[in-house]
Amino acid sequence: KYWPSCEKTSPPLSFSPGFGIISGYVYYDDNKDGDRKAEEKPFPGVTVRVKQIKEKAIFGDNADNVSDVKTDSNGYFRFRFSRGSADPTSYSVKVILPDGYKTVNTNPLIISDLLPNTQKIVEFGLYSLKPPSPSVTPKTTLSPKVTSGTRN
């Protein structure tokens, strides 16, 4: 329906030496189960923020190399990162929640020890904090009964 396939995959990628990719999807998770299904719509236009975490730092002001990107019409996002060395690096990936939405996933998600020439795929399911609108059933209106005749 909305997804070409429900497998946890992303478009084919080519790597340049020393580069890696963090990619994924943001989608409407109306049933709040955290598992993307074919009938769940992609959530376009959501900002996803990736921060490279300094060694032994806690997420927050101790992180540098911040990058923001918006999801495309398929809810897809992608960050390409490079490293000057082959040492593993940790990143935080955070969805900037639109007003009135919450995620069922850990937010931010910490990706530890990511190596160059690798890819990590993550997904964020969002749901509305507003209760669904109740179904409105039209009320039957009774018309006054009209009879004709003469009165004696």
Side-chain angles (χ1 to χ4, degrees):
K1 301 195 181 182
Y2 294 102
W3 307 102
S5 115
C6 274
E7 296 174 23
K8 308 284 188 208
T9 59
S10 67
L13 302 170
S14 60
F15 290 98
S16 301
F19 287 87
I21 293 173
I22 298 171
S23 65
Y25 294 92
V26 179
Y27 63 96
Y28 292 95
D29 193 4
D30 293 329
N31 63 3
K32 303 176 192 170
D33 70 351
D35 188 27
R36 181 170 53 101
K37 296 177 186 58
E39 63 274 6
E40 292 176 316
K41 296 179 184 179
F43 205 134
V46 175
T47 300
V48 180
R49 177 171 293 151
V50 172
K51 290 184 179 183
Q52 181 181 348
I53 301 173
K54 292 181 182 177
E55 191 171 337
K56 299 182 182 176
I58 297 172
F59 178 78
D61 293 336
N62 294 328
D64 59 2
N65 295 334
V66 178
S67 184
D68 288 354
V69 70
K70 288 199 180 285
T71 56
D72 67 12
S73 61
N74 295 311
Y76 179 74
F77 64 91
R78 181 178 118 152
F79 294 94
R80 183 176 164 197
F81 62 89
S82 68
R83 294 281 295 138
S85 71
D87 295 336
T89 304
S90 297
Y91 295 86
S92 69
V93 182
K94 180 178 183 175
V95 171
I96 307 303
L97 296 170
D99 288 342
Y101 284 89
K102 190 167 173 89
T103 181
V104 296
N105 309 90
T106 301
N107 191 29
L109 176 66
I110 305 299
I111 301 173
S112 299
D113 301 329
L114 194 60
L115 294 168
N117 305 324
T118 60
Q119 177 182 11
K120 179 68 176 178
I121 301 168
V122 297
E123 296 181 344
F124 292 94
L126 306 185
Y127 63 92
S128 176
L129 294 172
K130 299 174 189 169
S133 301
S135 299
V136 177
T137 308
K139 293 182 180 180
T140 307
T141 22
L142 300 173
S143 300
K145 188 173 183 181
V146 177
T147 55
S148 59
T150 57
R151 208 169 149 171
N152 292 335

XYZ file of all heavy atoms in Angstrom, residues 67-132:
521
model
N 23.551 17.619 12.450
C 22.990 17.729 11.111
C 21.491 17.451 11.177
O 21.062 16.505 11.827
C 23.672 16.724 10.187
O 23.215 16.877 8.872
N 20.702 18.316 10.519
C 19.247 18.132 10.448
C 18.850 17.870 9.007
O 19.429 18.432 8.082
C 18.507 19.396 10.903
C 18.590 19.631 12.394
O 19.125 18.775 13.116
O 18.104 20.684 12.849
N 17.842 17.039 8.835
C 17.281 16.782 7.512
C 15.790 16.523 7.687
O 15.353 16.084 8.753
C 17.977 15.587 6.819
C 17.653 14.272 7.474
C 17.660 15.549 5.345
N 15.006 16.831 6.666
C 13.568 16.550 6.704
C 13.280 15.275 5.925
O 13.940 14.987 4.919
C 12.771 17.706 6.105
C 12.757 18.925 7.012
C 11.626 19.856 6.636
C 11.605 21.063 7.525
N 11.095 20.831 8.845
N 12.280 14.529 6.389
C 11.884 13.328 5.663
C 11.251 13.714 4.337
O 10.614 14.760 4.214
C 10.895 12.489 6.490
O 9.770 13.296 6.857
C 11.545 11.933 7.749
N 11.432 12.854 3.341
C 10.857 13.112 2.017
C 9.404 12.643 1.981
O 8.826 12.285 3.020
C 11.711 12.471 0.916
C 11.718 10.942 0.942
O 10.889 10.319 1.653
O 12.565 10.356 0.244
N 8.806 12.616 0.812
C 7.390 12.251 0.678
C 7.118 10.809 1.087
O 5.987 10.445 1.376
C 6.899 12.489 -0.752
O 7.635 11.680 -1.656
N 8.167 9.984 1.156
C 8.027 8.598 1.598
C 8.396 8.423 3.069
O 8.519 7.298 3.545
C 8.918 7.683 0.751
C 8.472 7.645 -0.683
O 7.293 7.453 -0.972
N 9.395 7.865 -1.595
N 8.620 9.545 3.782
C 9.015 9.462 5.181
C 10.461 9.039 5.365
O 10.902 8.749 6.471
N 11.231 9.017 4.279
C 12.615 8.541 4.298
C 13.596 9.672 4.609
O 13.404 10.802 4.161
C 12.957 7.930 2.936
C 14.368 7.409 2.814
C 14.756 6.231 3.442
C 15.310 8.091 2.049
C 16.048 5.752 3.327
C 16.610 7.616 1.928
C 16.978 6.445 2.569
O 18.256 5.981 2.451
N 14.628 9.354 5.376
C 15.709 10.302 5.621
C 17.038 9.574 5.487
O 17.103 8.344 5.608
C 15.593 10.960 7.003
C 15.742 9.998 8.152
C 16.983 9.751 8.716
C 14.637 9.346 8.675
C 17.126 8.862 9.771
C 14.765 8.461 9.735
C 16.013 8.222 10.281
N 18.103 10.353 5.243
C 19.424 9.753 5.085
C 20.503 10.764 5.463
O 20.453 11.921 5.053
C 19.625 9.323 3.649
C 20.956 8.666 3.396
C 21.029 8.229 1.971
N 22.111 8.945 1.331
C 22.793 8.486 0.312
N 22.472 7.341 -0.234
N 23.771 9.179 -0.190
N 21.447 10.306 6.271
C 22.634 11.078 6.638
C 23.852 10.318 6.153
O 23.967 9.122 6.376
C 22.760 11.224 8.160
C 21.678 12.035 8.783
C 20.556 11.424 9.300
C 21.795 13.407 8.864
C 19.558 12.168 9.883
C 20.801 14.156 9.448
C 19.676 13.536 9.950
N 24.737 11.027 5.518
C 26.006 10.430 5.105
C 27.078 11.052 5.989
O 27.147 12.273 6.111
C 26.274 10.737 3.646
C 27.518 10.101 3.127
C 27.640 10.372 1.647
N 29.007 10.083 1.266
C 29.570 10.492 0.178
N 28.900 11.229 -0.678
N 30.806 10.193 -0.094
N 27.876 10.216 6.621
C 28.908 10.741 7.509
C 30.268 10.224 7.063
O 30.381 9.191 6.409
C 28.646 10.364 8.968
C 28.651 8.891 9.236
C 29.823 8.237 9.573
C 27.483 8.154 9.161
C 29.833 6.877 9.819
C 27.486 6.789 9.406
C 28.669 6.150 9.739
N 31.294 10.979 7.405
C 32.650 10.551 7.094
C 33.474 10.573 8.364
O 33.203 11.331 9.281
C 33.284 11.455 6.041
O 33.512 12.741 6.575
N 34.466 9.753 8.374
C 35.376 9.678 9.517
C 36.790 9.755 9.008
O 37.126 9.145 8.001
C 35.181 8.359 10.265
C 33.846 8.218 10.934
C 33.779 8.979 12.226
N 34.720 8.394 13.156
C 35.510 9.084 13.949
N 35.463 10.376 13.970
N 36.357 8.501 14.757
N 37.610 10.461 9.723
C 39.012 10.557 9.353
C 39.793 9.321 9.747
O 40.917 9.132 9.327
N 39.171 8.471 10.569
C 39.855 7.253 10.997
C 38.872 6.098 10.929
O 37.678 6.280 10.691
C 40.374 7.412 12.435
O 39.294 7.399 13.341
N 39.381 4.921 11.153
C 38.538 3.727 11.130
C 37.945 3.428 12.504
O 37.312 2.404 12.696
C 39.353 2.536 10.643
N 38.148 4.334 13.460
C 37.616 4.116 14.805
C 36.099 4.185 14.789
O 35.506 5.013 14.083
C 38.149 5.170 15.777
C 39.647 5.066 15.980
O 40.199 3.968 15.771
O 40.266 6.089 16.327
N 35.432 3.356 15.592
C 33.974 3.446 15.673
C 33.543 4.755 16.331
O 34.259 5.312 17.156
C 33.581 2.245 16.532
C 34.817 1.845 17.252
C 35.980 2.308 16.437
N 32.393 5.249 15.936
C 31.855 6.501 16.453
C 30.410 6.268 16.862
O 29.706 5.464 16.262
C 31.913 7.595 15.368
O 33.260 7.702 14.923
C 31.465 8.927 15.905
N 29.954 7.010 17.866
C 28.569 6.918 18.311
C 27.794 8.151 17.864
O 28.355 9.251 17.788
C 28.502 6.773 19.825
O 29.123 5.562 20.222
N 26.507 7.968 17.596
C 25.634 9.040 17.135
C 24.310 8.955 17.876
O 23.885 7.877 18.293
C 25.346 8.900 15.636
C 26.559 9.078 14.768
C 27.401 8.015 14.498
C 26.870 10.323 14.235
C 28.533 8.182 13.703
C 27.999 10.498 13.444
C 28.817 9.420 13.186
O 29.935 9.592 12.403
N 23.668 10.110 18.027
C 22.283 10.120 18.492
C 21.428 10.535 17.299
O 21.812 11.395 16.511
C 22.082 11.077 19.669
O 22.216 12.405 19.241
N 20.295 9.872 17.154
C 19.346 10.172 16.087
C 18.037 10.522 16.780
O 17.499 9.719 17.545
C 19.152 8.968 15.141
C 18.196 9.316 14.013
C 20.484 8.488 14.594
N 17.543 11.734 16.513
C 16.362 12.222 17.219
C 15.362 12.804 16.235
O 15.714 13.576 15.353
C 16.769 13.308 18.213
C 15.622 13.879 19.000
C 16.108 14.916 20.001
C 14.957 15.433 20.834
N 15.403 16.348 21.880
N 14.102 12.430 16.417
C 13.018 13.037 15.644
C 12.554 14.269 16.402
O 12.294 14.205 17.611
C 11.839 12.056 15.476
C 10.637 12.741 14.873
C 12.243 10.887 14.611
N 12.490 15.408 15.712
C 11.922 16.613 16.303
C 10.414 16.474 16.117
O 9.906 16.576 14.997
C 12.470 17.890 15.622
C 14.011 17.883 15.607
C 11.906 19.128 16.291
C 14.678 17.764 16.959
N 9.740 16.185 17.204
C 8.317 15.833 17.125
C 7.456 17.018 16.707
O 7.548 18.093 17.297
C 7.833 15.296 18.467
C 8.481 13.990 18.905
C 8.105 13.678 20.349
C 8.070 12.853 17.996
N 6.605 16.814 15.695
C 5.648 17.864 15.334
C 4.666 18.060 16.496
O 4.430 17.137 17.287
C 4.928 17.293 14.110
C 5.768 16.165 13.623
C 6.514 15.658 14.817
N 4.093 19.260 16.599
C 3.103 19.523 17.650
C 1.989 18.488 17.601
O 1.476 18.157 16.530
C 2.496 20.920 17.481
C 3.482 22.021 17.838
O 4.477 21.728 18.530
O 3.256 23.167 17.417
N 1.637 17.983 18.769
C 0.525 17.045 18.875
C 0.884 15.600 18.578
O 0.004 14.756 18.481
N 2.185 15.292 18.443
C 2.611 13.911 18.149
C 3.622 13.423 19.164
O 4.340 14.202 19.784
C 3.213 13.817 16.739
C 2.164 13.834 15.678
C 1.720 15.034 15.146
C 1.569 12.661 15.233
C 0.731 15.069 14.182
C 0.578 12.682 14.264
C 0.163 13.881 13.747
O -0.827 13.910 12.811
N 3.661 12.118 19.315
C 4.602 11.446 20.204
C 5.134 10.231 19.447
O 4.503 9.765 18.511
C 3.872 11.014 21.477
C 4.772 10.515 22.569
C 4.018 10.402 23.880
C 4.870 9.750 24.937
N 5.667 10.673 25.696
N 6.289 9.727 19.849
C 6.836 8.529 19.213
C 6.776 7.351 20.174
O 6.887 7.531 21.381
C 8.283 8.743 18.720
O 8.732 7.542 18.083
C 9.226 9.108 19.832
N 6.609 6.161 19.613
C 6.610 4.949 20.430
C 8.040 4.451 20.629
O 8.282 3.597 21.459
C 5.751 3.819 19.798
C 4.308 4.228 19.728
C 6.265 3.428 18.432
N 8.975 5.002 19.862
C 10.367 4.557 19.907
C 11.182 5.391 20.877
O 10.771 6.458 21.293
C 10.985 4.666 18.512
C 10.138 3.996 17.459
O 9.288 4.640 16.877
N 10.335 2.719 17.247
N 12.358 4.891 21.219
C 13.303 5.652 22.020
C 13.713 6.878 21.212
O 14.052 6.753 20.036
C 14.541 4.787 22.337
O 14.106 3.620 23.034
C 15.546 5.557 23.163
N 13.640 8.045 21.816
C 13.947 9.286 21.107
C 14.682 10.226 22.057
O 14.050 10.718 22.980
C 12.664 9.927 20.598
C 12.903 11.069 19.637
O 13.893 11.107 18.936
N 11.985 12.012 19.631
N 15.957 10.471 21.924
C 16.811 10.069 20.811
C 17.258 8.615 20.928
O 17.313 8.042 22.008
C 18.009 10.999 20.926
C 18.108 11.294 22.383
C 16.682 11.311 22.884
N 17.583 8.063 19.788
C 18.130 6.716 19.699
C 19.645 6.849 19.603
O 20.141 7.634 18.791
C 17.577 6.027 18.448
C 18.102 4.646 18.142
C 17.663 3.664 19.229
C 17.575 4.182 16.797
N 20.367 6.132 20.433
C 21.828 6.179 20.415
C 22.332 4.997 19.592
O 21.982 3.847 19.860
C 22.418 6.119 21.841
C 21.832 7.240 22.717
C 23.940 6.175 21.791
C 22.103 8.645 22.230
N 23.134 5.306 18.594
C 23.773 4.276 17.777
C 25.232 4.252 18.196
O 25.962 5.221 17.987
C 23.637 4.577 16.279
C 22.163 4.660 15.894
C 24.375 3.533 15.457
C 21.929 5.124 14.476
N 25.646 3.152 18.797
C 27.007 3.050 19.329
C 27.935 2.348 18.359
O 27.532 1.419 17.656
C 26.998 2.266 20.637
O 26.211 2.942 21.588
N 29.166 2.800 18.357
C 30.254 2.126 17.647
C 29.963 1.873 16.172
O 30.156 0.778 15.665
C 30.600 0.802 18.345
C 31.019 1.022 19.784
O 31.590 2.096 20.064
O 30.767 0.147 20.619
N 29.516 2.905 15.487
C 29.255 2.797 14.056
C 30.555 2.998 13.295
O 31.276 3.971 13.512
C 28.223 3.848 13.639
C 27.591 3.694 12.277
C 26.860 2.356 12.163
C 26.611 4.826 12.035
N 30.858 2.070 12.437
C 32.105 2.107 11.676
C 31.895 2.724 10.301
O 30.790 2.661 9.751
C 32.644 0.686 11.498
C 33.096 -0.018 12.767
C 33.316 -1.499 12.511
C 34.368 0.634 13.298
N 32.940 3.305 9.711
C 32.840 3.764 8.326
C 32.495 2.581 7.418
O 32.746 1.429 7.760
C 34.243 4.294 8.017
C 34.844 4.589 9.344
C 34.255 3.582 10.290
N 31.943 2.874 6.255
C 31.562 1.861 5.268
C 30.471 0.935 5.780
O 30.387 -0.227 5.381
C 32.770 1.048 4.796
C 33.868 1.937 4.263
O 33.613 2.962 3.644
N 35.104 1.566 4.535
N 29.635 1.443 6.689
C 28.500 0.674 7.185
C 27.240 1.529 7.102
O 27.308 2.741 6.923
C 28.697 0.230 8.656
O 28.853 1.385 9.470
C 29.889 -0.686 8.812
N 26.117 0.869 7.251
C 24.837 1.567 7.257
C 24.021 1.083 8.443
O 24.012 -0.103 8.761
C 24.056 1.290 5.980
C 22.694 1.953 5.989
C 21.870 1.652 4.751
O 22.218 0.794 3.953
N 20.782 2.350 4.582
N 23.317 2.014 9.064
C 22.387 1.696 10.142
C 21.026 2.242 9.737
O 20.909 3.406 9.356
C 22.843 2.328 11.460
C 21.920 2.073 12.619
C 21.933 0.625 13.016
C 21.066 0.415 14.253
N 21.015 -0.969 14.655
N 19.996 1.398 9.773
C 18.641 1.800 9.401
C 17.802 1.869 10.671
O 17.778 0.919 11.460
C 18.017 0.800 8.412
C 18.878 0.708 7.155
C 16.595 1.205 8.065
C 18.520 -0.442 6.245
N 17.140 3.006 10.877
C 16.286 3.187 12.049
C 14.907 3.657 11.610
O 14.748 4.191 10.514
C 16.906 4.200 13.047
C 18.223 3.678 13.584
C 17.107 5.556 12.414
N 13.924 3.431 12.459
C 12.558 3.844 12.154
C 11.928 4.482 13.386
O 12.199 4.070 14.511
C 11.717 2.643 11.723
C 12.206 2.035 10.447
C 11.385 0.855 9.986
O 10.613 0.301 10.798
O 11.506 0.485 8.820
N 11.091 5.471 13.121
C 10.360 6.141 14.190
C 8.879 6.144 13.830
O 8.492 6.698 12.801
C 10.842 7.588 14.362
C 12.238 7.708 14.886
C 13.309 7.839 14.016
C 12.495 7.684 16.250
C 14.606 7.955 14.490
C 13.795 7.800 16.731
C 14.847 7.930 15.851
N 8.072 5.532 14.672
C 6.627 5.559 14.502
C 6.031 6.663 15.352
O 6.279 6.722 16.560
N 5.274 7.573 14.732
C 4.644 8.679 15.448
C 3.141 8.461 15.509
O 2.554 7.904 14.589
C 4.929 10.011 14.755
C 6.390 10.371 14.481
C 6.476 11.783 13.913
C 7.239 10.252 15.718
N 2.543 8.918 16.606
C 1.090 8.852 16.734
C 0.586 10.163 17.310
O 1.303 10.880 17.992
C 0.641 7.662 17.586
C 1.104 7.714 19.021
C 0.302 8.295 20.006
C 2.333 7.188 19.397
C 0.727 8.348 21.320
C 2.763 7.244 20.710
C 1.956 7.818 21.665
O 2.364 7.871 22.965
N -0.667 10.441 17.007
C -1.281 11.692 17.434
C -1.698 11.607 18.898
O -2.213 10.577 19.347
C -2.503 11.993 16.558
O -3.151 13.156 17.025
N -1.473 12.702 19.622
C -1.925 12.771 21.013
C -3.407 13.126 21.102
O -4.013 12.983 22.160
C -1.107 13.820 21.779
C 0.365 13.487 21.952
C 1.109 14.668 22.550
C 0.542 12.250 22.814
N -3.972 13.593 19.993
C -5.386 13.959 19.976
C -6.218 12.699 19.808
O -5.898 11.846 18.984
C -5.682 14.906 18.816
C -4.919 16.201 18.890
C -5.135 17.021 17.651
C -4.181 18.208 17.641
N -4.171 18.898 16.356
N -7.290 12.562 20.593
C -8.134 11.379 20.418
C -8.802 11.435 19.048
O -9.062 12.520 18.524
C -9.168 11.489 21.546
C -9.123 12.912 21.980
C -7.773 13.450 21.623
N -9.036 10.269 18.447
C -9.694 10.269 17.140
C -11.082 10.875 17.243
O -11.744 10.781 18.280
C -9.759 8.792 16.747
C -9.473 8.026 17.989
C -8.770 8.941 18.947
